[in-house]
Amino acid sequence: MAKGNTPQAIRGTQDIFGPEAEAFAFVVETFERVRKLYRFRRVEMPVFEKTEVFSRAIGETTDVVSKEMYSFEDRGGDSLTLRPEFTAGIARAYLSNGWQQHAPLKVATHGPLFRYERPQKGRYRQFHQIDAEIIGAGEPQADVELLAMADQLLKELGIEGVTLHLNTLGDGDSREAWRAALVEYFSAVKDELSEDSQERLEKNPLRILDSKDRRDQKFVADAPKIDAFLSDEAKAFFEAVTSGLDAAGVKWKRAESLVRGLDYYRHTAFEFIPDEGSAAADALGSQSTILGGGRYDGLMESLGGAPTPAVGWAAGIERLAMLVSVRPEVAEVAIAAESDERVGEAYELAQHLRKEGLSVEVFASGGKRKRYDKARKSEPLNLISMDFRDGEASTNIASDDTDDVRASRLERLVEEFRRARK
RNA sequence: GCGAUCGUAGCUCAGUUGGUUAGAGCGCCGGUUUGUGGUACCGGAGGUCGGGGGUUCAAGACCCCUCGAUCGCCCCA
């Protein structure tokens, strides 16, 4: 509980500790490992950019830009913004650094993002994502490889009950024609739509399709389908993606009403969503998407670059962390210095063992009788007690170590250490 | 931006229709069982009951405001 004059953390930020922090680290470590398997190269990006990087790339009318950005003026009067996503900044870096020379470029990164929103379960003002992008690759195989990586990542995290929902938005022309048809269709029944969807009709008609409001849902089933507006090329592209996924053993499900909020998406759009009634769905509350992305062939042009096909995804680390289970890290060795005469020696032994690659914790403070108990409670694999009684030093090892090699190596190291000290 | 629920020790929570010095468990600190021991027992520290105002002889409990948290809507990872 915060005391009167102790500053509070900013709303929507988190101080992550304990099992949550372990889960967070596990997600990041697993991502780093899997990304190397697919040969994605690591990039580090600035946390803030000129505001126009996001407003031009993401779209002025999107919620992200119009009301969720952390923007401020720097001392030179430029408008800067804390990044609300990775893709726009990566696209900017691609153009400003001439990374075209590396195309097709596969990059991965992770870190904090910022969005001024009302915090709730699985949703924060400072949140964290892992992110993967393939830039300068227009072939459907790029989509497949990217999705295969996502699928493998989730499996290696041990996350179950999550399904890839897949859709195509077609190329620019298909998408526009579909959008126009949707506006026409929903305009005819405008008065019967929810208030939110009446507004969406102006701003983002595609979003009406995944409205949660019953009043909207009864019209959704008969709404125009994207498939009717796809050009032959767009259709062939989507088929190549789906057959590639099948060949790669990635399970997917067609989601005709899946659209993505940001302006730059074309062709493939996808989200990994927990199955209804699954443990994952329960854990996430109403924030159902754990990983989402798609193809954004139009983005580079909006930043003044040459047309450049690209596809990418991002996943919320906090959301993934809610779905993984990690065992608490226990020490390989705990040393209880049960009398003050042995404290110095206990720390020396700890250093010796740490240099040999063992994780060691020393218990040498507080009541002497309680040091052993504390060491015990930390549930180490091996427990060394060091005491000094009746003028005699004793050193004992109690081992619950299931790894016999490590346990016997420890005994040897401790024995060496004692001989060397004499 | 809107709505609902909630705010009592470091943590999890009790606190009866408003009624004396606000409690428990865990954790923390100290001590006892002169001991191969994750035990048990004893003691201690720690609370402006989120904050402010009001009603009342009396408020942790009731009313108003405010701050914060949680969950949901919008949107999104």
Side-chain angles (χ1 to χ4, degrees):
Chain A
M1 194 115 324
K3 284 283 193 282
N5 66 348
T6 301
Q8 290 176 315
I10 303 300
R11 176 190 290 253
T13 62
Q14 331 167 64
D15 304 308
I16 309 173
F17 174 75
E20 289 79 24
E22 299 297 335
F24 191 106
F26 174 63
V27 170
V28 173
E29 285 158 15
T30 306
F31 173 67
E32 276 295 298
R33 187 165 51 75
V34 171
R35 145 246 138 176
K36 288 175 190 163
L37 300 177
Y38 286 78
R39 300 289 293 164
F40 277 65
R41 299 162 80 174
R42 178 76 206 206
V43 284
E44 298 295 338
M45 305 299 305
V47 171
F48 58 139
E49 297 273 356
K50 285 187 177 162
T51 296
E52 64 172 327
V53 169
F54 304 112
S55 58
R56 285 170 62 180
I58 300 169
E60 294 281 1
T61 63
T62 58
D63 277 27
V64 169
V65 171
S66 63
K67 56 184 209 194
E68 294 172 3
M69 292 206 301
Y70 272 95
S71 299
F72 58 94
E73 268 193 17
D74 74 359
R75 295 184 185 207
D78 289 329
S79 177
L80 308 183
T81 294
L82 263 30
R83 63 186 179 195
E85 60 149 47
F86 279 115
T87 307
I90 291 175
R92 189 234 88 218
Y94 181 86
L95 295 173
S96 45
N97 296 309
W99 287 349
Q100 289 94 336
Q101 65 183 313
H102 300 116
L105 176 63
K106 298 193 285 188
V107 292
T109 192
H110 64 83
L113 303 169
F114 304 85
R115 246 118 102 161
Y116 193 90
E117 293 186 276
R118 205 60 190 271
Q120 61 194 64
K121 194 183 185 81
R123 178 205 194 150
Y124 309 94
R125 287 186 173 180
Q126 178 180 334
F127 59 107
H128 302 80
Q129 288 185 344
I130 52 179
D131 181 277
E133 315 275 349
I134 304 180
I135 306 174
E139 327 77 56
Q141 288 74 26
D143 305 46
V144 173
E145 184 174 28
L146 192 77
L147 282 165
M149 176 167 78
D151 188 65
Q152 181 166 354
L153 171 67
L154 296 180
K155 285 197 169 76
E156 302 222 0
L157 287 171
I159 294 174
E160 289 174 356
V162 170
T163 301
L164 166 58
H165 291 234
L166 188 67
N167 196 19
T168 178
L169 303 171
D171 47 40
D173 291 342
S174 316
R175 182 176 155 146
E176 274 318 301
W178 182 40
R179 180 190 163 102
L182 285 172
V183 170
E184 192 186 335
Y185 172 81
F186 284 118
S187 294
V189 293
K190 182 174 180 182
D191 295 342
E192 295 177 66
L193 296 175
S194 67
E195 298 75 21
D196 284 333
S197 283
Q198 293 187 20
E199 228 177 281
R200 290 185 182 113
L201 204 44
E202 310 289 328
K203 288 173 53 186
N204 197 353
L206 274 54
R207 281 244 90 102
I208 300 176
L209 294 174
D210 53 15
S211 168
K212 288 170 187 166
D213 198 301
R214 287 189 161 280
R215 286 170 290 174
D216 303 327
Q217 287 172 343
K218 64 181 177 189
F219 297 111
V220 168
D222 295 322
K225 300 282 189 288
I226 178 65
D227 288 6
F229 301 88
L230 290 179
S231 62
D232 289 345
E233 291 79 13
K235 207 173 292 181
F237 188 95
F238 189 57
E239 274 160 20
V241 172
T242 57
S243 62
L245 289 174
D246 292 338
V250 178
K251 292 209 173 59
W252 58 279
K253 181 176 158 188
R254 178 70 195 273
E256 282 183 320
S257 59
L258 186 155
V259 297
R260 308 256 325 140
L262 312 181
D263 283 358
Y264 51 61
Y265 285 108
R266 299 285 185 280
H267 289 291
T268 321
F270 53 85
E271 295 180 356
F272 283 80
I273 302 174
D275 304 333
E276 258 179 75
S278 67
D282 284 352
L284 286 167
S286 67
Q287 314 307 315
S288 53
T289 303
I290 56 171
L291 184 154
R295 182 161 275 284
Y296 50 93
D297 290 352
L299 175 56
M300 292 294 173
E301 289 162 84
S302 70
L303 292 177
T308 307
V311 58
W313 57 248
I317 297 176
E318 288 88 349
R319 292 185 188 177
L320 291 171
M322 287 191 282
L323 303 182
V324 304
S325 53
V326 288
R327 304 210 151 282
E329 293 262 324
V330 297
E332 292 175 295
V333 182
I335 302 176
E338 296 190 81
S339 71
D340 289 335
E341 289 91 333
R342 304 293 301 282
V343 169
E345 190 186 347
Y347 279 105
E348 283 174 42
L349 174 58
Q351 282 310 101
H352 179 65
L353 297 176
R354 286 163 178 161
K355 283 173 186 160
E356 295 292 334
L358 293 162
S359 65
V360 184
E361 180 110 51
V362 179
F363 294 84
S365 64
K368 295 177 186 66
R369 318 186 91 95
K370 299 223 160 63
R371 293 174 191 175
Y372 182 87
D373 289 344
K374 282 190 199 165
R376 255 297 173 209
K377 276 192 181 171
S378 73
E379 298 187 326
L381 267 26
N382 299 282
L383 170 54
I384 300 174
S385 61
M386 301 174 78
D387 207 346
F388 190 83
R389 222 180 295 154
D390 305 327
E392 203 154 324
S394 62
T395 301
N396 297 298
I397 302 177
S399 182
D400 292 331
D401 204 333
T402 51
D403 182 343
D404 293 336
V405 176
R406 177 173 49 212
S408 58
R409 177 160 167 262
L410 174 64
E411 279 186 44
R412 206 181 64 239
L413 288 170
V414 171
E415 196 48 45
E416 280 171 16
F417 172 79
R418 296 181 60 197
R419 271 205 297 272
R421 267 182 68 88
K422 278 178 184 168

